Amino acid sequence: MVLSALKPATALDAGDSTPWTLTPSFDSFARVLNVNNFGQYFLNSLIVALSVVVLSTLFAFLAAVAVTRYNFKMRTKLLIIILVAQMVPVEALTIPLFFLFRNFGETMPAIGLNHLGSLILVHVGFSIPFAIWMLRGFVAAVPLELEEAAKLDGASSFRFVRSVLFPLVAPGVVACSVFAFISTWNDFLFAKTFIISAQENSTLPMALLTFFKPDQNDWGAIMAGSVIMTIPVLIFFIAVQRKLVSGLAGAVKG
């Protein structure tokens, strides 16, 4: 992808299949950065992705604590419903969600079609079930003796969750945040479906459509745009890699 982005347009048009180039060019990156509202597309993607990460991990963590540490009616049924929610293909829900957010827009425009709120809400909804099941294992791995000791020291349930439990399951929270960020950042289906006419609310994947043309695609710009889209994901991954490794290993450190 990087090498194709650096190849001159003449080499790509000629079908040059060599995996290197002796005359690298940044013209493809210049064409991408010169797209109208490119900075706004980038900012919109960042707002949606970060909002989803914060909201989904927060709600999923609290839900995981509830279904793991507390006994209440229909707890098992709730877990089954969460599991079933992960089994439904996204494509099967796209049309119903379109009509749902169209109706939302009549009373709450901020989460209706053509608004970033619709993208944030739908990705939070799809990220939470996976995060709950993942965090449930981390929460269950924390010994009950720690909670009993915290209560003996006068800590309330909320204080225990905030000051003791959350730091212990932080690796799992980070792992969930990475998956939520990547799936939201790379989303094209919902962005194309929900953002119909408000171009100012389009996200970065939509900017790549500019270079898909009926007669000939601008593959150099497409590859350059893909490289630019990958950079924030790499930065986010590098920033949390230590926590992510321990989170994927299922480690809970005291």
Side-chain angles (χ1 to χ4, degrees), residues 48 101 105 108-121 194-196 198 200-201:
V48 173
F101 283 106
M108 296 177 288
I111 60 173
L113 299 178
N114 285 324
H115 289 81
L116 295 180
S118 61
L119 296 180
I120 294 174
L121 188 58
F194 297 157
I195 309 299
I196 304 171
E200 68 277 7
N201 289 330

Side-chain angles (χ1 to χ4, degrees), residues 17-246:
S17 60
T18 56
W20 65 83
T21 178
L22 300 178
T23 57
S25 173
F26 290 93
D27 292 341
S28 296
F29 289 94
R31 292 197 300 276
V32 172
L33 295 176
N34 288 330
V35 171
N36 291 333
N37 297 324
F38 180 84
Q40 186 64 46
Y41 294 160
F42 187 93
L43 181 61
N44 291 340
S45 290
L46 197 61
I47 292 173
V48 173
L50 293 180
S51 299
V52 171
V53 167
V54 173
L55 294 175
S56 63
T57 52
L58 175 62
F59 293 149
F61 170 70
L62 296 177
V65 173
V67 299
T68 305
R69 293 282 176 172
Y70 298 95
N71 293 319
F72 54 90
K73 292 183 178 180
M74 298 186 65
R75 186 180 70 167
T76 303
K77 293 182 180 179
L78 179 61
L79 288 172
I80 294 175
I81 292 174
I82 295 173
L83 181 62
V84 171
Q86 292 183 263
M87 300 178 182
V88 182
V90 175
E91 295 77 9
L93 298 176
T94 303
I95 295 177
L97 286 172
F98 174 85
F99 289 107
L100 181 65
F101 283 106
R102 187 188 65 177
N103 295 334
F104 281 164
E106 297 176 357
T107 56
M108 296 177 288
I111 60 173
L113 299 178
N114 285 324
H115 289 81
L116 295 180
S118 61
L119 296 180
I120 294 174
L121 188 58
V122 72
H123 282 293
V124 168
F126 278 100
S127 299
I128 284 179
F130 171 79
I132 290 176
W133 274 99
M134 188 169 185
L135 290 176
R136 183 170 171 264
F138 285 88
V139 175
V142 176
L144 292 175
E145 289 76 7
L146 285 178
E147 184 174 2
E148 295 174 355
K151 289 182 178 180
L152 289 176
D153 290 337
S156 62
S157 297
F158 178 77
R159 179 67 181 275
F160 167 76
V161 171
R162 183 190 65 182
S163 302
V164 179
L165 187 60
F166 182 80
L168 292 177
V169 301
V173 173
V174 170
C176 293
S177 68
V178 170
F179 289 115
F181 185 90
I182 293 176
S183 63
T184 304
W185 182 264
N186 293 329
D187 171 64
F188 175 82
L189 178 62
F190 291 129
K192 179 65 174 176
T193 304
F194 297 157
I195 309 299
I196 304 171
S197 57
Q199 295 300 320
E200 68 277 7
N201 289 330
S202 294
T203 53
L204 201 53
M206 299 294 293
L208 295 181
L209 284 181
T210 307
F211 306 104
F212 285 91
K213 302 176 181 178
D215 50 349
Q216 186 177 5
N217 298 327
D218 188 348
W219 289 110
I222 294 171
M223 294 296 103
S226 300
V227 171
I228 294 174
M229 282 188 59
T230 305
I231 293 175
V233 178
L234 290 176
I235 294 175
F236 185 74
F237 179 82
I238 292 173
V240 300
Q241 62 173 334
R242 291 184 178 180
K243 290 289 186 179
L244 177 64
V245 171
S246 56

Side-chain angles (χ1 to χ4, degrees), residues 2-4 7 16-21:
V2 175
L3 291 174
S4 298
K7 282 185 178 181
D16 183 11
S17 60
T18 56
W20 65 83
T21 178

